[in-house]
């Protein structure tokens, strides 16, 4: 054996930036937001911001620019993000290869946060029973994974079903309706019709477009800027509604359990459908046993969870 060849190569520590900073930057670049990056890797957005600023100081160049809708990358930031992304994918691929001998399979699912937390997570045991020798890895994210680079095996997204990517499979088209806590309803007796909602603070996601689309669908023009906080995703919005902070838009899939338990109340009888859930995977992989089984399971169970119309 060539002992010289086996000798580890020692590189100057100063060539490699602290990995905590690099990981925070990668998450911020991928999600487009310090707050979403924090949710993604389990840190506060202030820690993410501090890591990114420290990385910029370490590199001696500006990487990100803050804006009203999140962050954008500078030219140097784009170049660094490309290299970091490739490096992280190589690490993930190497880890997967090493673990392959000790597992029967893995199904990596990326899912919209509201559906992941409130509908899919309570049913994980069903998936595990369906695929007992498969490791289920669930990630709540409203960003699309890079399927070609194996960031995920399948994603569950939400969007306009008339504008889906060609390889997407529509799986549910639920109603979208306003919900609030019983306490909020009792404290706001003046809200007697759907149009009255435009006069009270509403709970928004990333922007106010979803509520505006909902009002348009019921034939109501608010005529003014809608009030209320922006909480970036439906999951946070429902948490705020549960806490009595206002009215959020929900579907039977992400709010059904809370409505059944009396923690949330559906306001008014409406039938508005602003989009739907869909699956995406590499088309060539749909015949694989794990993906095929998961697709059949989720299509069947989503349908069972929606009220008959």
């Amino acid at each position: 054996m060539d002992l010289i060849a086996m000798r580890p190569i020692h590189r100057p520590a100063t060539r490699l930036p602290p990995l905590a900073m690099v990981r925070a930057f990668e998450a911020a670049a991928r999600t487009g937001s310090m707050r979403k990056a924090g949710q993604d890797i389990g840190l506060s957005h202030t820690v993410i911001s501090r890591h990114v600023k420290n990385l910029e100081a370490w590199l001696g160049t500006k990487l990100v620019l803050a804006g009203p809708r999140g962050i954008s990358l500078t030219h140097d930031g784009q170049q660094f993000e490309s290299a970091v992304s490739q490096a992280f994918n190589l690490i993930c691929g190497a880890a997967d290869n090493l673990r392959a001998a000790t597992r029967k399979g893995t199904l990596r699912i990326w899912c919209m946060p509201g559906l992941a937390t409130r509908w899919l997570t309570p049913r994980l045991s069903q998936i595990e029973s369906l695929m007992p020798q498969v490791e289920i890895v669930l990630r709540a994210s409203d960003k699309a994974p890079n399927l070609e680079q194996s960031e995920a095996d399948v994603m569950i997204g939400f969007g306009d079903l008339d504008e889906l990517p060609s390889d997407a499979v529509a799986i549910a088209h639920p109603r979208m309706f306003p919900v609030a806590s019983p306490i909020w309803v009792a404290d706001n007796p003046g809200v007697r019709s759907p149009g009255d909602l435009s006069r009270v603070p509403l709970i928004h996601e990333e922007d106010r477009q979803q509520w505006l689309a909902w009002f348009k669908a019921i034939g109501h023009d608010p005529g003014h800027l809608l009030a209320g906080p922006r909480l970036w995703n439906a999951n946070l919005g429902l948490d705020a509604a549960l806490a009595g902070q206002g009215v959020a838009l929900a579907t039977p899939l992400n709010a059904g359990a809370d409505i059944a338990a009396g923690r949330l109340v559906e306001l008014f009888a409406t039938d508005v459908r602003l989009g739907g859930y869909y699956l995406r995977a590499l088309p060539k992989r749909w015949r694989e046993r794990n993906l095929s089984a998961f697709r059949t399971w989720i299509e069947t169970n989503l349908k069972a969870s929606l009220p008959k119309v």
Side-chain angles (χ1 to χ4, degrees):
M1 181 180 295
D2 187 349
L3 295 180
I4 296 177
M6 293 290 293
R7 185 177 301 163
I9 299 174
H10 295 284
R11 296 181 176 87
T14 54
R15 290 188 60 193
L16 185 67
L19 291 181
M21 298 180 191
V22 178
R23 185 173 181 234
F25 167 76
E26 186 277 336
R30 174 167 39 81
T31 62
S33 161
M34 298 294 185
R35 187 174 301 277
K36 289 183 180 180
Q39 294 170 356
D40 185 68
I41 63 176
L43 298 173
S44 71
H45 70 279
T46 55
V47 172
I48 296 291
S49 180
R50 183 167 66 249
H51 278 329
V52 171
K53 289 181 179 178
N54 287 341
L55 179 62
E56 290 177 329
W58 195 94
L59 294 170
T61 188
K62 190 72 174 172
L63 299 174
V64 303
L65 299 173
R69 295 176 62 86
I71 66 167
S72 60
L73 300 181
T74 65
H75 177 71
D76 286 345
Q78 291 174 357
Q79 288 190 317
F80 192 62
E81 187 276 335
S82 177
V84 166
S85 178
Q86 292 180 44
F88 277 21
N89 285 330
L90 285 173
I91 294 171
C92 289
D96 282 346
N97 289 336
L98 289 174
R99 294 175 64 202
T102 61
R103 69 187 184 196
K104 299 297 183 180
T106 300
L107 182 64
R108 292 163 296 179
I109 307 165
W110 282 30
C111 182
M112 298 296 291
L115 190 72
T117 301
R118 290 179 151 81
W119 188 86
L120 192 55
T121 298
R123 292 167 172 81
L124 283 178
S125 60
Q126 296 181 26
I127 306 175
E128 290 172 334
S129 296
L130 180 68
M131 296 179 276
Q133 295 184 324
V134 176
E135 179 186 18
I136 306 300
V137 180
L138 174 61
R139 176 171 176 171
S141 175
D142 54 7
K143 294 293 183 181
N146 189 323
L147 298 172
E148 291 286 352
Q149 294 186 7
S150 301
E151 283 188 324
D153 299 303
V154 62
M155 70 162 289
I156 308 169
F158 185 90
D160 187 335
L161 296 184
D162 293 326
E163 299 180 0
L164 295 183
S166 60
D167 60 351
V169 179
I171 54 174
H173 191 203
R175 290 190 309 117
M176 186 170 288
F177 47 81
V179 295
S181 71
I183 293 176
W184 188 94
V185 174
D187 289 343
N188 291 270
V191 178
R192 299 175 181 174
S193 70
D196 290 338
L197 290 172
S198 64
R199 298 187 288 101
V200 299
L202 301 170
I203 298 170
H204 304 272
E205 294 187 25
E206 186 170 352
D207 54 38
R208 294 178 169 80
Q209 293 306 308
Q210 194 172 71
W211 267 111
L212 289 172
W214 188 86
F215 281 120
K216 181 179 180 180
I218 66 168
H220 175 74
D221 181 6
H224 58 81
L225 181 66
L226 298 176
R230 290 183 292 155
L231 301 183
W232 292 90
N233 66 54
N235 198 39
L236 291 175
L238 288 175
D239 283 342
L242 283 164
Q245 300 301 301
V247 183
L249 285 173
T251 75
L253 296 173
N254 60 18
D258 289 315
I259 293 173
R263 294 185 292 267
L264 288 175
V265 177
E266 179 179 351
L267 305 182
F268 315 113
T270 58
D271 187 7
V272 175
R273 300 168 194 266
L274 298 180
Y277 292 100
Y278 61 89
L279 293 179
R280 282 192 72 195
L282 293 179
K284 63 185 178 182
R285 296 192 57 198
W286 278 123
R287 292 185 180 181
E288 293 179 13
R289 182 178 58 183
N290 291 345
L291 280 178
S292 176
F294 177 73
R295 175 175 172 176
T296 299
W297 176 87
I298 195 168
E299 289 178 336
T300 301
N301 284 271
L302 280 179
K303 183 178 180 180
S305 297
L306 290 174
K308 302 296 186 295
V309 294

